[in-house]
Amino acid sequence: MKGVILSECDTRLVDVAHDLPRQNLTAAAFWLREVLPYFPQAVHLAVIDPGVGTNRRAAVVRAGDHLLVGPDNGVLLPTARAIIEAGDGSTATNAIDVFEWNYGDTPSSTFHGRDVFAPAAAAVHETGLDAFTDLAAVRPLPDPVEFELPTPSINEETKTAVGEVLVVDDFGNVITNISGTLLEELERVTVNGETVPVQPTYATVSQNSRLATVGSHENVELAVNTGRGDEAFRLEAGDRVELTW
Amino acid sequence: MKGVILSECDTRLVDVAHDLPRQNLTAAAFWLREVLPYFPQAVHLAVIDPGVGTNRRAAVVRAGDHLLVGPDNGVLLPTARAIIEAGDGSTATNAIDVFEWNYGDTPSSTFHGRDVFAPAAAAVHETGLDAFTDLAAVRPLPDPVEFELPTPSINEETKTAVGEVLVVDDFGNVITNISGTLLEELERVTVNGETVPVQPTYATVSQNSRLATVGSHENVELAVNTGRGDEAFRLEAGDRVELTW
Amino acid sequence: MKGVILSECDTRLVDVAHDLPRQNLTAAAFWLREVLPYFPQAVHLAVIDPGVGTNRRAAVVRAGDHLLVGPDNGVLLPTARAIIEAGDGSTATNAIDVFEWNYGDTPSSTFHGRDVFAPAAAAVHETGLDAFTDLAAVRPLPDPVEFELPTPSINEETKTAVGEVLVVDDFGNVITNISGTLLEELERVTVNGETVPVQPTYATVSQNSRLATVGSHENVELAVNTGRGDEAFRLEAGDRVELTW
């Protein structure tokens, strides 16, 4: 993919991640949403594509002054919304427009990253944020595939939140889909039946002790100081998380 | 290696892979051959070097307008041939010439990537595609170590192909050395005694089902839709693969 | 972190490592010390930060014409000393000065790489090697947290060295903290009771045989030719290593 891009345009490549879990739309949607809005104006290429080679469409999403290129499976839409939220709110830069990239025949049916999406990213980079819509391969995509990260259910009366693990990060921290605002003013919280302290960060408990905290993504995170939260809480991506307080 | 290169020339570095299997000439020869021909003119540095510190030679391979730098163990030659095949066929760019890089004493005998090959890559990058042959360290290498990827045996009469697994990719897809043309017009194929459907891509079978397909490398690939082919077929790199049809 | 940096300055990013063992100050101090001195003048950003979100300070270390940015936990100081040692010895470039980066409130208490250190690295890169000390966030840090890599004890009379494993590299090579000068003129050495040959490099023993050698870091390294030394010697990071000769 890098070779194809550099053959077609002279640009600076920045690797954002090498190790997103394979084929996992939820993990990719989460991590890209957390990371890409911090970048300056760019073309972002992300190919999480279990449907490669089938009749799924290719998409170019314009979010403010960013372009996102990938399969039309919705995985880029949470990022597009986050880019708009992180922007300055001006009308010039707060629209999300989705386009189809019409790719025709391809050399392979199993590696569209190389054969479809890298050339598309190079082409929209070369033509630019406005003019790319004039490319012959580009047309509006009125009905893009939607995708939402799963949302928790909160019951203030029973003081219970039921959510799930979105991802486990490299450190073993368990990142849930439950908003960290829930932990405000709590000293402890019960996670799937086990009570742990609510802490501002990892090292405010002793080594190898468990905690709940608000992660940098503003969600509830379950962790162990200098250890692995996933092992201590016996949780992995997709698992149910019930918090009570 | 990056520090050494950037200390000696001002260039753009592009990471091609971080995770080639260690010490594995076959895997490196395969992946580099699949990837590097897609790049524009460049100096490619690849150090797969189980013989580091012994009397094996250092090589600079010129293939068309690309330069390949690494140990003289032949691992770069399949890539050189693929670069020529991918080129425009003009006589100006279809020659492969191999040179020795004469490196003398080195600070270490266990890290020639840092001490020999990074400086060599920087030097040939700085002097360029033609002038590098005037460098004092460079001389023709008339007898480079050869290396060929293993080839399968095909018996059209008994309708049997016996090959091997070249590599297993990150997704668990089993990439064989058997040409994908074999699968043309077949609806199913028997792999080491078990029959699986021949499919255009992964997602044309149901989730977690097995298939044989023609990968982006144009070889037969054994896979599982959203699962791991290596586990389902119980195959790893180097294993024998017998296809019958 | 890359997005934050590129939003605040136009620079070239070079990834030095993706896979340093998490939370491991010794491994980071060792690898950074071995790698960063080979780079030309640069701002180096390295966040090994088990104390994130606590009252530990942020540091900018000036070593010659390099700047090192990270938590004030000492992990950058061996690198700073190695940069000075690798330099030309001129008085203009042989000083180490440590500064505090005063960061105030932060958006998160668990990801200061994004919220503190990336902005600090971008700011000192923009202002430069001398002027960065005029930044409002910068002041001298007279009492930085110290950190030394563990040192072995050598007894020439009993011909015994007791050290430890600093790290195991990607190939499985066991890198100790014992100076390789110890192996000079030895033909064999006893490692935790088992005698192995002293060799100039890996491939001077037969495949899958054990050896001791002087690694590119100039320390004693315990290895297996085309195999994993850590498994053969049953050693991992932090383990005790007793050499007798």
Side-chain angles (χ1 to χ4, degrees):
Chain A
M1 291 170 68
K2 289 178 175 179
V4 169
I5 293 170
L6 293 174
S7 293
E8 300 190 10
C9 66
D10 183 36
T11 188
R12 175 166 57 184
L13 300 176
V14 178
D15 292 342
V16 166
H18 298 284
D19 51 3
L20 295 183
R22 304 305 174 201
Q23 318 263 27
N24 186 325
L25 302 191
T26 299
F30 173 76
W31 284 120
L32 296 173
R33 184 192 75 179
E34 292 302 311
V35 170
L36 298 186
Y38 287 93
F39 276 81
Q41 179 179 352
V43 175
H44 305 280
L45 173 58
V47 185
I48 297 89
D49 194 15
V52 60
T54 64
N55 61 359
R56 66 92 188 80
R57 300 169 296 192
V60 180
V61 180
R62 183 169 58 192
D65 53 8
H66 292 253
L67 295 176
L68 309 166
V69 177
D72 174 38
N73 57 19
V75 82
L76 298 171
L77 296 178
T79 298
R81 293 188 283 264
I83 286 171
I84 299 303
E85 276 172 40
D88 61 6
S90 67
T91 51
T93 59
N94 69 3
I96 295 176
D97 301 299
V98 185
F99 300 87
E100 181 175 357
W101 178 267
N102 186 11
Y103 55 88
D105 285 341
T106 57
S108 84
S109 53
T110 61
F111 192 4
H112 281 188
R114 179 190 72 186
D115 299 336
V116 172
F117 298 106
V124 301
H125 178 271
E126 282 299 273
T127 48
L129 198 59
D130 297 314
F132 87 90
T133 57
D134 296 333
L135 289 168
V138 174
R139 59 186 173 212
L141 181 52
D143 58 342
V145 173
E146 253 305 333
F147 183 88
E148 301 273 359
L149 286 165
T151 50
S153 64
I154 315 277
N155 188 326
E156 292 285 354
E157 268 182 48
T158 62
K159 297 189 172 181
T160 302
V162 178
E164 71 176 69
V165 178
L166 292 177
V167 294
V168 173
D169 76 13
D170 249 16
F171 294 85
N173 299 319
V174 175
I175 301 175
T176 75
N177 65 340
I178 301 171
S179 169
T181 56
L182 195 97
L183 299 185
E184 278 170 21
E185 297 176 29
L186 293 183
E187 288 188 11
R188 54 189 57 76
V189 70
T190 299
V191 181
N192 291 351
E194 298 179 84
T195 300
V196 295
V198 173
Q199 293 287 329
T201 188
Y202 313 114
T204 47
V205 298
S206 56
Q207 287 218 343
N208 301 315
S209 290
R210 293 189 298 180
L211 64 131
T213 191
V214 183
S216 58
H217 33 73
E218 300 181 358
N219 286 0
V220 173
E221 185 175 312
L222 306 169
V224 166
N225 182 22
T226 68
R228 290 195 66 94
D230 57 343
E231 294 173 5
F233 285 95
R234 296 178 300 283
L235 284 170
E236 57 186 44
D239 282 354
R240 183 178 185 276
V241 175
E242 179 174 316
L243 300 186
T244 54
W245 64 94
Chain B
M1 292 171 66
K2 290 178 175 179
V4 169
I5 293 170
L6 293 173
S7 292
E8 300 189 10
C9 67
D10 183 37
T11 188
R12 175 167 56 185
L13 299 175
V14 178
D15 293 342
V16 166
H18 298 284
D19 51 4
L20 295 183
R22 304 305 174 198
Q23 317 263 26
N24 187 325
L25 302 191
T26 299
F30 172 77
W31 285 120
L32 296 174
R33 184 192 74 177
E34 292 303 312
V35 171
L36 298 186
Y38 287 93
F39 276 82
Q41 180 179 352
V43 176
H44 304 282
L45 174 58
V47 186
I48 297 88
D49 196 13
V52 60
T54 64
N55 61 0
R56 66 91 187 82
R57 300 169 297 192
V60 180
V61 180
R62 184 170 57 192
D65 54 6
H66 292 253
L67 294 176
L68 308 167
V69 178
D72 173 38
N73 57 19
V75 82
L76 299 171
L77 295 178
T79 298
R81 293 187 283 264
I83 286 172
I84 299 303
E85 276 172 40
D88 60 7
S90 67
T91 52
T93 58
N94 69 3
I96 296 178
D97 301 299
V98 185
F99 299 88
E100 181 175 357
W101 178 267
N102 186 11
Y103 55 88
D105 285 342
T106 56
S108 83
S109 52
T110 60
F111 192 5
H112 282 188
R114 179 191 71 187
D115 299 336
V116 172
F117 298 106
V124 301
H125 178 271
E126 281 299 273
T127 48
L129 197 59
D130 298 312
F132 87 89
T133 58
D134 296 332
L135 289 169
V138 173
R139 58 186 173 211
L141 182 52
D143 58 342
V145 173
E146 253 305 330
F147 183 89
E148 301 273 359
L149 286 165
T151 50
S153 64
I154 314 277
N155 188 325
E156 293 285 355
E157 270 182 45
T158 62
K159 298 189 172 181
T160 302
V162 178
E164 70 176 70
V165 179
L166 293 176
V167 296
V168 173
D169 77 11
D170 248 17
F171 294 84
N173 299 320
V174 175
I175 300 174
T176 75
N177 65 340
I178 301 171
S179 168
T181 56
L182 195 97
L183 299 185
E184 277 170 22
E185 298 177 28
L186 293 183
E187 287 188 13
R188 55 189 56 79
V189 68
T190 300
V191 181
N192 291 350
E194 298 180 84
T195 300
V196 295
V198 174
Q199 293 287 329
T201 189
Y202 314 114
T204 46
V205 298
S206 57
Q207 286 219 343
N208 301 315
S209 291
R210 294 188 299 178
L211 64 131
T213 191
V214 183
S216 58
H217 33 73
E218 300 181 358
N219 287 358
V220 173
E221 186 175 311
L222 306 170
V224 166
N225 182 21
T226 69
R228 290 195 66 94
D230 57 343
E231 294 174 5
F233 286 94
R234 295 178 302 285
L235 285 170
E236 56 185 45
D239 282 355
R240 182 177 186 276
V241 175
E242 178 174 316
L243 299 187
T244 54
W245 64 94
Chain C
M1 290 171 66
K2 289 178 175 179
V4 168
I5 293 170
L6 293 174
S7 292
E8 300 190 11
C9 66
D10 182 36
T11 189
R12 174 166 56 185
L13 299 176
V14 178
D15 292 344
V16 167
H18 297 285
D19 52 3
L20 295 182
R22 304 305 175 202
Q23 316 264 25
N24 185 325
L25 301 192
T26 298
F30 172 77
W31 284 120
L32 296 173
R33 184 192 74 179
E34 292 302 312
V35 171
L36 299 185
Y38 287 93
F39 276 83
Q41 179 179 351
V43 175
H44 305 282
L45 173 58
V47 186
I48 297 89
D49 196 13
V52 60
T54 65
N55 62 359
R56 65 92 187 83
R57 300 170 296 192
V60 180
V61 180
R62 183 169 59 193
D65 54 7
H66 292 253
L67 294 176
L68 309 166
V69 177
D72 174 37
N73 56 18
V75 82
L76 299 171
L77 296 178
T79 298
R81 293 188 284 264
I83 286 172
I84 298 303
E85 277 172 39
D88 61 6
S90 68
T91 52
T93 58
N94 70 3
I96 296 177
D97 301 298
V98 185
F99 300 88
E100 181 175 357
W101 178 268
N102 186 12
Y103 55 87
D105 286 341
T106 56
S108 83
S109 53
T110 61
F111 192 5
H112 282 189
R114 179 190 72 188
D115 299 335
V116 172
F117 297 106
V124 301
H125 177 271
E126 281 300 273
T127 49
L129 198 60
D130 298 312
F132 88 89
T133 59
D134 296 333
L135 290 168
V138 174
R139 59 187 172 208
L141 181 53
D143 58 342
V145 173
E146 253 306 331
F147 183 89
E148 301 273 359
L149 286 165
T151 51
S153 64
I154 315 276
N155 187 325
E156 292 286 353
E157 272 182 43
T158 62
K159 298 189 173 181
T160 302
V162 178
E164 70 175 70
V165 178
L166 293 177
V167 295
V168 173
D169 76 13
D170 248 16
F171 294 84
N173 300 318
V174 175
I175 301 175
T176 74
N177 65 340
I178 301 171
S179 170
T181 57
L182 196 97
L183 299 186
E184 279 171 21
E185 298 177 29
L186 292 182
E187 288 188 12
R188 55 190 56 76
V189 69
T190 300
V191 181
N192 291 351
E194 297 180 84
T195 300
V196 295
V198 174
Q199 294 286 328
T201 188
Y202 313 114
T204 48
V205 298
S206 56
Q207 287 219 346
N208 300 316
S209 292
R210 294 188 299 179
L211 64 132
T213 191
V214 183
S216 59
H217 33 72
E218 300 180 359
N219 286 359
V220 174
E221 186 173 311
L222 306 169
V224 166
N225 182 20
T226 66
R228 291 195 66 94
D230 57 343
E231 293 173 5
F233 286 94
R234 296 178 301 283
L235 285 171
E236 57 185 45
D239 282 354
R240 183 177 184 276
V241 175
E242 180 175 315
L243 300 186
T244 55
W245 65 94

